[in-house]
């Protein structure tokens, strides 16, 4: 993962002047001490707690690159986001067979004219354990629970390397997800995508399909280019089976 040294530039990208967060009564205890590079206090007073927290996290990432590359340590942290949302995940990994991992995660969504965004403290519990240790086709079992809504999800995921030699690598990724949706309905989803990664130019082409028991068949194509500072650009052609639509996304992702 590339080092992230441009926290202010990314903050401007993630939170443009016309965007706002509707996130009331958010209490992230113990996070304030990492806000070591904050904007002017008058500016901070004009933004929501969610946006302020995100800026502080990005600043901390920029100033502590050494911690950001622990990777396989017992403490897990990751953050990813775009102009419309930001996801933060934290947890622990145990030195046991399958390397069990568990913790909490939150997703903050920007409020728009049609979406109120994040209006209550978002909190989910998550867990993962490796169940297939094969280097060719590793697999994992994952779960996620939202205590507030009662939604829960269990997923079995597998990745298989098809071509690993040459200028590009080809891999197949499959997942079966089952659980309970936020509306109380049962969820059963099957996903499969094939990825062609060009390591020399740090780009990847993806074609995927999704079968959902409550949604029409979905298929999409995506071209992703990874840039410095942990930023990636994606050109996506979605809903190929019905009404194709094109869009461009910009996201950042960082683990430490």
């Amino acid at each position: 993962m590339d080092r992230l040294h441009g926290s202010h530039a990314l903050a401007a990208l993630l939170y443009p002047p016309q965007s706002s967060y509707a996130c009331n009564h958010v209490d992230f205890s113990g996070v304030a001490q990492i806000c070591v590079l904050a904007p002017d206090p008058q500016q901070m007073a004009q933004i929501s707690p969610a946006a302020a927290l995100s800026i502080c996290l990005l600043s901390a990432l920029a100033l502590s690159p050494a911690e950001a590359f622990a990777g396989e340590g017992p403490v897990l942290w990751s953050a990813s986001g775009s102009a419309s949302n930001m996801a933060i995940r934290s947890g622990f990994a145990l030195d046991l067979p399958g390397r069990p991992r568990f913790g909490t995660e939150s997703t903050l969504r920007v409020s728009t004219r049609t979406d109120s965004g994040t209006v209550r403290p978002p909190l989910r519990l998550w867990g993962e354990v490796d169940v297939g240790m094969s280097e060719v086709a590793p697999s994992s079992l994952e779960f996620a629970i939202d205590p507030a809504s009662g939604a829960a999800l269990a997923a079995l995921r597998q990745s298989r390397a098809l071509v690993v030699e040459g200028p590009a690598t080809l891999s197949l990724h499959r997942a079966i997800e089952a659980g309970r949706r936020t509306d109380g309905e049962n969820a059963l989803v099957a996903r499969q995508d094939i990825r062609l990664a060009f390591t020399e130019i740090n780009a990847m082409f993806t074609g995927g399909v999704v079968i959902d028991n409550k949604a029409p068949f979905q298929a999409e194509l995506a071209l992703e280019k990874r840039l410095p500072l942990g930023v990636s650009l994606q050109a996506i052609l979605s809903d190929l089976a019905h009404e194709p639509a094109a869009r461009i996304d910009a996201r950042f992702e960082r683990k430490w």
Side-chain angles (χ1 to χ4, degrees):
M1 198 65 66
D2 295 323
R3 293 177 180 250
L4 181 58
H5 294 295
S7 62
H8 290 300
L10 277 179
L13 171 67
L14 295 175
Y15 311 104
Q18 302 301 321
S19 299
S20 63
Y21 275 90
C23 187
N24 300 324
H25 308 296
V26 179
D27 179 17
F28 291 94
S29 301
V31 176
Q33 65 266 27
I34 69 173
C35 298
V36 293
L37 183 61
D40 183 79
Q42 293 182 353
Q43 296 178 355
M44 291 292 289
Q46 298 176 1
I47 62 178
S48 67
L53 171 63
S54 301
I55 293 174
C56 292
L57 285 173
L58 291 172
S59 301
L61 284 173
L63 294 179
S64 56
E67 291 84 351
F69 291 88
E72 299 299 325
V75 179
L76 307 174
W77 283 87
S78 66
S80 64
S82 67
S84 60
N85 63 73
M86 180 172 182
I88 304 169
R89 170 180 278 202
S90 62
F92 299 92
L94 303 180
D95 188 14
L96 296 172
R99 194 170 182 262
R101 305 171 293 280
F102 60 92
T104 62
E105 61 184 7
S106 299
T107 301
L108 307 176
R109 294 182 294 108
V110 172
S111 61
T112 65
R113 294 180 179 179
T114 58
D115 188 349
S116 60
T118 300
V119 295
R120 58 179 175 80
L123 177 66
R124 292 186 301 275
L125 307 178
W126 66 271
E128 298 178 2
V129 61
D130 297 329
V131 295
M133 305 304 294
S134 169
E135 294 184 359
V136 177
S139 56
S140 63
L141 181 63
E142 306 175 9
F143 74 86
I145 300 174
D146 187 335
S149 66
L153 180 70
L156 179 62
R157 306 186 189 279
Q158 183 185 63
S159 301
R160 178 177 293 275
L162 302 179
V163 177
V164 295
E165 298 180 356
T169 60
L170 185 66
S171 58
L172 179 66
H173 301 259
R174 296 178 291 186
I176 297 178
E177 305 172 357
R180 184 181 183 87
R181 306 179 193 271
T182 55
D183 59 5
E185 295 287 337
N186 293 328
L188 183 60
V189 182
R191 306 176 186 271
Q192 179 168 295
D193 62 74
I194 189 166
R195 303 175 187 177
L196 182 63
F198 301 90
T199 54
E200 292 186 359
I201 60 175
N202 223 7
M204 180 170 61
F205 178 78
T206 303
V209 296
V210 178
I211 301 176
D212 191 321
N213 67 324
K214 284 197 65 178
F217 173 83
Q218 301 177 44
E220 71 174 30
L221 299 175
L223 179 62
E224 177 180 353
K225 169 63 177 177
R226 291 190 176 274
L227 305 175
L229 308 179
V231 177
S232 64
L233 296 178
Q234 279 188 328
I236 301 173
L237 186 61
S238 60
D239 204 7
L240 297 178
H242 304 92
E243 299 180 2
R247 72 180 189 272
I248 296 178
D249 288 343
R251 296 189 64 83
F252 82 93
E253 182 175 0
R254 186 65 187 272
K255 297 180 180 181
W256 73 99

